[in-house]
Amino acid sequence: MLADLETLVRCESHSADLAALARSADAVGALGTRLLGTAPESIVIDGVTHLRWVFGTPRVLLGHHDTVWPMGSLEARPWSVATGIARGPGVLDMKAGLVQMLHALASLRTLDGVCVLVNGDEEIGSPTSRELIEEAARGSVAAFVLEASGDRDGALKTARKGSSRYEVTVHGRAAHAGLAPEKGVNAAVEAAHQVLAIAGIGAAVAGGGGGPGSATVTPTLMSAGSTSNTVPARARIAVDVRVPTSAARDHVDTLLRGLSPRTPGARLEIEDIGGRPPMEPGASAALFALASRIARELGQRPLRGIAVGGVSDGNCTAAVGCPTLDGLGAVGAGAHAEDEYVEVASMIPRSRLLAELVTRTLR
């Protein structure tokens, strides 16, 4: 398993580099071919390479082979294993999860009923693979997502907030800042009012407050103006929304679309530019109970289920009605961070847990 993990980590796969994703897909495909006995279907959409194995009437296991790490990161953070810790770009999120998944499947008596979908654009919102994921999930009895564990104790992710991205555009009127500023409508000033209003929306939504079960509405990127001596005619505010339930998502949408300008003559344009729906606790309850029972039978540490703010493709499978359990991948810490690592000793127990989950789900 470590040798296979080294192969995948050494094959960099930044989401934005299509050639690197193709090489990564070849590496993952070769590993799966060796372990599963058959080559995957390669699906290329808008230049992004995805892989799919289907055995009989499918249930779904999900993983992704793209990472957030820019090309060249391997030189600064090389693959290493020391004192039971494996390091390297993407080792936790989620190349170790892929290795564990393929080795778990290789241990099964039969693969009949298994569908493996490994996409190449999860880290940027799965724009080309979402339809594939939802199509597979609609016909499946369960989705097992090989994202990293929720914490260093191996917690599973039983709920995820949904995410939405909005762009608020402020339309003002340009004027010379020195000769006639009074003839302008300052979009930057209006944007400042709107940033404060947007920041207050999260607290106004049921469940607001910032915790794991709360809604958060966060102004992020902002820009305004064209030159330093011109009253800005336009400003833009990017807004990140995280919500625990569909009802909270609808409430936030209503409040954002209800924003009104404070500056005379200014006009607001509010656009929802996409996201993922919430993965609510009910989607994982039965599968988590089964996983907990299996862990006890295998003599593993008791499992905990946690709700997290980050999103994954599990949000999408749950939203189409497929029971979904997430966080079944590697145990470690530091996803997307300089100290990303995997606890090597956890890899075999997690693979055994997944193998039993798949076996009992397919019965």
Side-chain angles (χ1 to χ4, degrees):
M1 292 177 78
L2 277 177
D4 291 337
L5 181 56
E6 178 178 2
T7 297
L8 296 191
V9 170
R10 288 186 181 277
C11 186
E12 295 184 281
S13 54
H14 186 226
S15 303
D17 192 314
L18 299 182
L21 289 175
R23 292 191 296 271
S24 172
D26 286 343
V28 176
L31 174 59
T33 300
R34 191 189 90 225
L35 291 172
L36 305 184
T38 187
E41 176 186 6
S42 179
I43 305 167
V44 181
I45 304 174
D46 294 340
V48 182
T49 307
H50 316 294
L51 302 174
R52 182 168 60 192
W53 286 265
V54 180
F55 303 90
T57 303
R59 277 68 168 170
V60 178
L61 293 99
L62 297 176
H64 65 87
H65 67 99
D66 62 318
T67 74
V68 300
W69 293 95
M71 301 302 292
S73 297
L74 186 64
E75 183 176 354
R77 303 186 63 257
W79 160 262
S80 68
V81 181
T83 62
I85 297 297
R87 299 184 185 275
V91 67
L92 179 68
D93 189 10
M94 63 169 290
K95 298 193 175 188
L98 294 178
V99 170
Q100 291 171 197
M101 173 181 66
L102 292 171
H103 277 268
L105 294 178
S107 74
L108 302 184
R109 293 181 179 178
T110 176
L111 291 173
D112 186 50
V114 168
C115 172
V116 178
L117 184 57
V118 180
N119 59 332
D121 57 0
E122 190 275 343
E123 295 291 5
I124 57 173
S126 305
T128 71
S129 59
R130 181 164 175 173
E131 186 174 336
L132 293 173
I133 293 164
E134 292 179 344
E135 178 186 2
R138 286 190 183 97
S140 298
V141 297
F144 298 119
V145 185
L146 274 295
E147 292 285 354
S149 170
D151 60 20
R152 297 175 186 178
D153 293 327
L156 302 185
K157 296 169 181 176
T158 52
R160 286 183 179 271
K161 291 182 183 180
S163 69
S164 299
R165 293 181 298 138
Y166 287 80
E167 184 170 271
V168 178
T169 303
V170 181
H171 298 277
R173 184 170 61 246
H176 195 291
L179 297 178
E182 72 282 357
K183 293 183 179 180
V185 176
N186 196 315
V189 171
E190 177 59 30
H193 287 297
Q194 295 305 321
V195 164
L196 295 176
I198 292 164
I201 286 177
V205 177
S214 69
T216 59
V217 182
T218 308
T220 55
L221 299 175
M222 185 166 68
S223 63
S226 55
T227 66
S228 61
N229 62 349
T230 302
V231 173
R234 181 174 296 182
R236 289 187 175 88
I237 307 162
V239 184
D240 180 282
V241 175
R242 307 285 169 141
V243 290
T245 64
S246 296
R249 179 186 57 191
D250 293 343
H251 192 183
V252 169
D253 184 77
T254 298
L255 292 174
L256 282 171
R257 295 186 186 281
L259 292 170
S260 58
R262 312 289 179 87
T263 304
R267 179 172 62 87
L268 303 182
E269 180 183 351
I270 298 158
E271 183 182 7
D272 180 351
I273 56 176
R276 290 185 174 107
M279 174 183 154
E280 300 189 36
S284 65
L287 292 176
F288 178 72
L290 175 59
S292 297
R293 187 162 63 251
I294 292 170
R296 287 195 301 271
E297 293 171 4
L298 293 175
Q300 297 181 10
R301 72 180 75 176
L303 289 175
R304 291 191 308 114
I306 61 173
V308 296
V311 295
S312 81
D313 289 327
N315 291 67
C316 301
T317 60
V320 300
C322 181
T324 300
L325 189 58
D326 204 335
L328 285 160
V331 177
H336 297 195
E338 292 293 331
D339 61 344
E340 181 177 13
Y341 72 87
V342 165
E343 294 180 4
V344 173
S346 70
M347 294 181 68
I348 290 176
R350 297 291 276 195
S351 294
R352 288 176 173 158
L353 173 66
L354 178 63
E356 279 296 315
L357 268 171
V358 174
T359 296
R360 298 192 195 189
T361 303
L362 295 181
R363 285 176 180 169

